[in-house]
Amino acid sequence: MPVQPNVVFADLEKKRFQYGSDLSIYTETLADGRLLVSGFQDNGITIYELSDVLDKPSFDLVVDGDTLNFGWEFADFNSHEDEIGNMHGTLTLKNTIKPILLKMVTSCCGFGFFKRFIEITNLSDEATIGLTSMTPLKGCIWSINDNLADNLKDYSVSPYSVGRFKDLYWSHEGNFDWQDIPLNTGIFFQSTFGMSGHSSPFFILRNNLNGGYFVCQMGWSSNWKTAFFADYFNDGRLQMKVSLNFEMMPVTPAPARLIAPGETIRTPVVHFGMSHVDLDTAIQNLHSHLRKSVLRQVGDGLQPVIYNQAGYMQPGYKQPQMSEEGLKREADIAAALGAELLMVDAGWYGKNGQEGTDWGNTTGDWHAADGLPNDLFPVFDYARSKGLKVGLWVEAETAGSKSKLAEEHPDWFLHKFGSKFDRVLDLAKPEVKAFVESEIVRLVEKYNLDMFRLDYNSSSNDGGFNVHDGRHENTHWKHVEAIYDIFERVGKRFPNLQLENCASGGGRTDVGIVSRFTTTWVSDWFKMPRTVRILNGMSMALPPEYINRSTGVESSYAGNLDTQMHVIIMGHPTLFGITPSLEQANPAIMETTRKFIEIYKTFIRTFHRTAKVYHHTPVIPGADGTGWAALEYVSEDRKKAVAAVFRLMNAEENMYTLKFRGLNKNAHYRVTVEPEGSEFTLQGYALSRTGLEIKLDTALTSQLIMLTETE
């Protein structure tokens, strides 16, 4: 099917605005002072104007307690095309109730996806206004009335379902599942820890009657909420109708943001797309959109294999404290395993050279610890002599209780209810934001870093409050603005710098912060079998090359080594604690690890960043992961593919049949199966229709299947 262009069309007389992205069309109408969602189409056919929905606002705005989804007048509309072919339409509205100007920016990004954000300007010359709440996108989709009574089968069929990550807590990221949306009963999901995780502002809506998927993500690194309502109308006679209402919004105590006279702020960006295709294609369209228009790349975009020194050298875990000798030993291990970057993790700074002082108590003092009298320079020089790049862990938004920073600047911390919130620096304060940015820049320049790793291990929950003009402004909104602004500038200042995003593992996996980094630590949990489910689920919301998976001491105690390696090379691999030293290394461990790292570098990575992902098992039940899991990645030209099949816990059968979904059925492929090492040739048709029987007779084992098209 030929790809349709991205288009923006505005009927200024009727105040009707249409946005087209391939075969998806989003329509809005300004009527009676309200900007309304008029329709979502997923097949490229423009709806009649008489079919417009004219009672559902496309956004909500509450300022100083007053609802402002009405009272808007048209001011302007313009559109332009950017350098990558996206069309952007900007609708400017002026409110008749309060002195507020809105710019509604809608981008048509291809692959059936759109971006939407709103700029809010305070037009007053004197008065500050307070943002009570804001919903940047809401709407009504999939109105159904044909044969509804029969199709609902006496209410035994739910017309709509929502797919989301159902767990909110650390170590359970990526637990994707479907939930039916009951008729006339609203449901919602949210985060509560002051971060976007350990879930993610991401959902997939599914039309169970007429088919189709609606995929939505919000770029917001603090608390959020999504809500859904299946509106079923039945007048008891002949009229029946059901439609699905949805909304996605940041959640912050009011006022979320004080807007000064003449000031303009920007809402979170919402990414949404619709398609009448299968789930795999809907997810692939999301990945294509993110790769093209959202996510950051450095150089060729190929992810470096990371060796993290935290393993047999973790301060606070009764392990040896950091030393120059120990870090050089870690560099030797990294080079021997084929890693490409040495990451120095927590504990290199402050007083961590002293026995009994844990890494969290001295964050904020970003100077080499007592146990590193020569600083990190000899370590980094040694690593580079081994052919490794270097990276550094910094929890820049915190200061530990034993840090000099905490002693000298107690006013720099988050405050609420009259008390200081431990560890969390208040980036809503300009002087704190400036300090944090200056420290990041200083460290990158001082050590000439190849990668900067940002962590954030604190839950600020509802955030703190700062008093301005006698009003208590919540800190969350400005904190998110600050961290985005800092890394926008850091990324531009150091265009070749890799940036790793981490927040207690998967505390911030939203596309807002991920878009400003080059890789993301989606979870701190690496133990089998849950690590498979984390990769499986998170590779729906994010392309797999941005998803960090790791293995090493303690985390790899369950499951065999081949399986541990299969997991990490299907994501962005990091190794840690493979052996205490080269002298103590188990030759079999070293050989197996090297083998799979080489497979990643020479095969998977060659098409990883453009691969189409097929989730054969989108839902993996159980506390840690039950049954089987299978992931398939296929190159754009369909000449290469890799699949990993995992037997998890409590599988009822010893056999899993893998039927490839993305192959060229006319082509022949050389098939290589690891760890057994067998090779043979099969036609794409047989691999897709008959498939491969994978026999694994014990839990926590796996096979990796690699395909290369033959001439």
Side-chain angles (χ1 to χ4, degrees), residues 494-514:
F494 305 104
N496 296 318
L497 178 67
Q498 296 275 357
L499 293 170
E500 184 171 57
N501 164 46
C502 178
S504 294
R508 294 194 293 205
T509 56
D510 65 281
V511 292
I513 197 161
V514 171

Side-chain angles (χ1 to χ4, degrees), residues 296-304 498 518 545-546 605 609:
R296 182 173 182 264
Q297 290 185 1
V298 167
D300 58 11
L302 301 181
Q303 300 287 27
Q498 296 275 357
T518 54
E545 70 272 18
Y546 286 84
R605 191 167 64 178
R609 66 188 178 97

Side-chain angles (χ1 to χ4, degrees), residues 18-87:
Q18 285 197 327
Y19 307 91
S21 174
D22 292 351
L23 293 177
S24 297
I25 301 174
Y26 174 54
T27 306
E28 291 180 323
T29 301
L30 182 64
D32 299 324
R34 298 191 298 162
L35 186 64
L36 305 174
V37 175
S38 298
F40 291 96
Q41 292 295 107
D42 60 15
N43 57 13
I45 300 175
T46 302
I47 62 175
Y48 286 119
E49 184 180 343
L50 58 86
S51 299
D52 285 352
V53 177
L54 291 177
D55 62 347
K56 304 294 183 180
S58 66
F59 72 96
D60 268 341
L61 175 64
V62 182
V63 173
D64 291 328
D66 294 334
T67 297
L68 294 180
N69 59 17
F70 64 96
W72 297 100
E73 291 181 339
F74 175 83
D76 188 27
F77 186 88
N78 62 76
S79 62
H80 73 278
E81 183 176 5
D82 65 20
E83 64 279 1
I84 60 174
N86 292 345
M87 288 295 300

Side-chain angles (χ1 to χ4, degrees), residues 217-365:
Q217 280 186 302
M218 183 170 66
W220 179 250
S221 302
S222 191
N223 293 333
W224 53 269
K225 178 181 177 181
T226 61
F228 312 94
F229 183 78
D231 189 354
Y232 175 59
F233 172 77
N234 184 347
D235 68 357
R237 297 188 299 275
L238 297 176
Q239 291 188 335
M240 292 184 179
K241 180 180 178 181
V242 64
S243 57
L244 180 59
N245 298 305
F246 70 90
E247 54 187 42
M248 176 174 271
M249 71 210 79
V251 175
T252 301
R257 182 69 158 78
L258 295 178
I259 310 174
E263 184 181 12
T264 298
I265 69 167
R266 178 178 290 191
T267 69
V269 181
V270 178
H271 306 259
F272 62 99
M274 65 207 89
S275 51
H276 210 102
V277 291
D278 56 83
L279 179 62
D280 282 328
T281 306
I283 294 298
Q284 290 162 12
N285 288 340
L286 170 65
H287 290 176
S288 296
H289 160 61
L290 294 177
R291 285 162 169 160
K292 173 194 171 189
S293 301
V294 182
L295 298 174
R296 182 173 182 264
Q297 290 185 1
V298 167
D300 58 11
L302 301 181
Q303 300 287 27
V305 178
I306 302 171
Y307 193 93
N308 191 310
Q309 53 75 212
Y312 289 100
M313 188 188 297
Q314 291 191 56
Y317 292 91
K318 298 181 180 179
Q319 305 289 359
Q321 298 292 330
M322 281 198 189
S323 66
E324 182 179 316
E325 177 186 3
L327 289 172
K328 288 180 177 178
R329 187 167 59 242
E330 294 292 309
D332 288 335
I333 299 169
L337 290 171
E340 297 164 313
L341 185 146
L342 175 69
M343 175 62 66
V344 176
D345 209 313
W348 62 270
Y349 46 85
K351 295 293 182 182
N352 286 294
Q354 295 180 356
E355 194 69 32
T357 302
D358 68 84
W359 61 268
N361 280 332
T362 50
T363 58
D365 293 346

Side-chain angles (χ1 to χ4, degrees), residues 370-641:
D370 300 343
L372 295 167
N374 300 313
D375 209 313
L376 288 169
F377 296 112
V379 173
F380 287 159
D381 288 344
Y382 184 76
R384 289 183 170 114
S385 74
K386 294 283 184 177
L388 298 167
K389 295 182 178 181
V390 298
L392 191 64
W393 178 99
V394 181
E395 194 179 5
E397 298 156 87
T398 68
S401 60
K402 297 181 181 179
S403 66
K404 291 181 181 179
L405 185 65
E407 180 182 350
E408 295 173 357
H409 294 284
D411 57 319
W412 281 13
F413 288 83
L414 212 64
H415 282 74
K416 62 179 178 180
F417 313 136
S419 301
K420 184 182 76 171
F421 201 91
D422 286 341
R423 296 195 82 243
V424 182
L425 294 175
D426 185 359
L427 270 67
K429 297 178 177 178
E431 65 273 23
V432 182
K433 174 187 173 184
F435 169 79
V436 168
E437 182 172 352
S438 67
E439 285 294 271
I440 293 169
V441 170
R442 179 181 66 82
L443 292 170
V444 172
E445 292 181 336
K446 176 181 178 179
Y447 296 116
N448 191 23
L449 296 177
D450 300 293
M451 178 176 279
F452 181 93
R453 184 180 186 208
L454 178 73
D455 207 343
Y456 187 58
N457 294 294
S458 296
S459 298
S460 59
N461 301 317
D462 287 335
F465 300 90
N466 291 317
V467 179
H468 297 290
D469 299 327
R471 304 179 67 178
H472 289 77
E473 180 185 38
N474 190 264
T475 58
H476 274 325
W477 194 289
K478 280 189 174 178
H479 189 109
V480 173
E481 287 179 337
I483 204 66
Y484 287 179
D485 193 34
I486 287 171
F487 280 95
E488 285 282 346
R489 285 199 294 271
V490 167
K492 291 177 181 177
R493 182 166 183 164
F494 305 104
N496 296 318
L497 178 67
Q498 296 275 357
L499 293 170
E500 184 171 57
N501 164 46
C502 178
S504 294
R508 294 194 293 205
T509 56
D510 65 281
V511 292
I513 197 161
V514 171
S515 67
R516 290 158 172 90
F517 287 72
T518 54
T519 188
T520 289
W521 200 268
V522 297
S523 178
D524 274 344
W525 193 269
F526 306 115
K527 296 179 182 179
M528 289 288 295
R530 203 187 309 163
T531 183
V532 176
R533 187 171 68 193
I534 291 167
L535 171 67
N536 186 76
M538 292 308 301
S539 59
M540 292 186 176
L542 298 172
E545 70 272 18
Y546 286 84
I547 296 174
N548 194 297
R549 289 285 75 207
S550 187
T551 190
V553 63
E554 188 176 6
S555 290
S556 58
Y557 291 168
N560 66 21
L561 181 60
D562 297 296
T563 300
Q564 300 287 341
M565 295 303 300
H566 294 167
V567 177
I568 73 168
I569 65 175
M570 293 294 280
H572 179 191
T574 291
L575 302 166
F576 67 94
I578 300 299
T579 179
S581 67
L582 288 180
E583 291 75 21
Q584 296 172 268
N586 181 321
I589 290 176
M590 299 296 287
E591 180 182 354
T592 299
T593 304
R594 277 194 299 265
K595 179 179 79 171
F596 285 109
I597 291 300
E598 189 65 15
I599 286 173
Y600 170 77
K601 291 193 293 187
T602 62
F603 186 73
I604 296 175
R605 191 167 64 178
T606 63
F607 64 95
H608 206 194
R609 66 188 178 97
T610 58
K612 292 188 175 183
V613 180
Y614 295 85
H615 291 87
H616 291 253
T617 51
V619 176
I620 300 176
D624 284 309
T626 295
W628 294 79
L631 271 174
E632 173 190 349
Y633 305 159
V634 181
S635 65
E636 280 190 306
D637 60 9
R638 297 192 292 177
K639 293 181 181 295
K640 293 182 180 180

Side-chain angles (χ1 to χ4, degrees), residues 59-175:
F59 72 96
D60 268 341
L61 175 64
V62 182
V63 173
D64 291 328
D66 294 334
T67 297
L68 294 180
N69 59 17
F70 64 96
W72 297 100
E73 291 181 339
F74 175 83
D76 188 27
F77 186 88
N78 62 76
S79 62
H80 73 278
E81 183 176 5
D82 65 20
E83 64 279 1
I84 60 174
N86 292 345
M87 288 295 300
H88 307 273
T90 301
L91 170 63
T92 304
L93 303 174
K94 188 175 181 179
N95 195 257
T96 59
I97 303 169
K98 286 184 177 289
I100 296 174
L101 189 77
L102 296 187
K103 288 191 174 182
M104 320 288 296
V105 181
T106 307
S107 303
C108 310
C109 304
F111 313 105
F113 270 83
F114 306 85
K115 291 194 301 184
R116 158 61 66 85
F117 67 85
I118 305 172
E119 290 184 349
I120 307 171
T121 300
N122 180 1
L123 295 178
S124 172
D125 294 328
E126 300 178 356
T128 294
I129 61 175
L131 180 64
T132 304
S133 65
M134 149 56 53
T135 303
L137 183 71
K138 59 186 301 185
C140 177
I141 192 171
W142 293 327
S143 180
I144 304 171
N145 53 23
D146 295 333
N147 299 314
L148 196 56
D150 181 57
N151 289 328
L152 290 179
K153 295 182 179 178
D154 298 324
Y155 305 102
S156 63
V157 173
S158 293
Y160 314 110
S161 299
V162 57
R164 83 289 183 222
F165 301 134
K166 65 180 184 179
D167 288 325
L168 296 176
Y169 297 98
W170 174 86
S171 81
H172 287 274
E173 298 87 353
N175 190 4

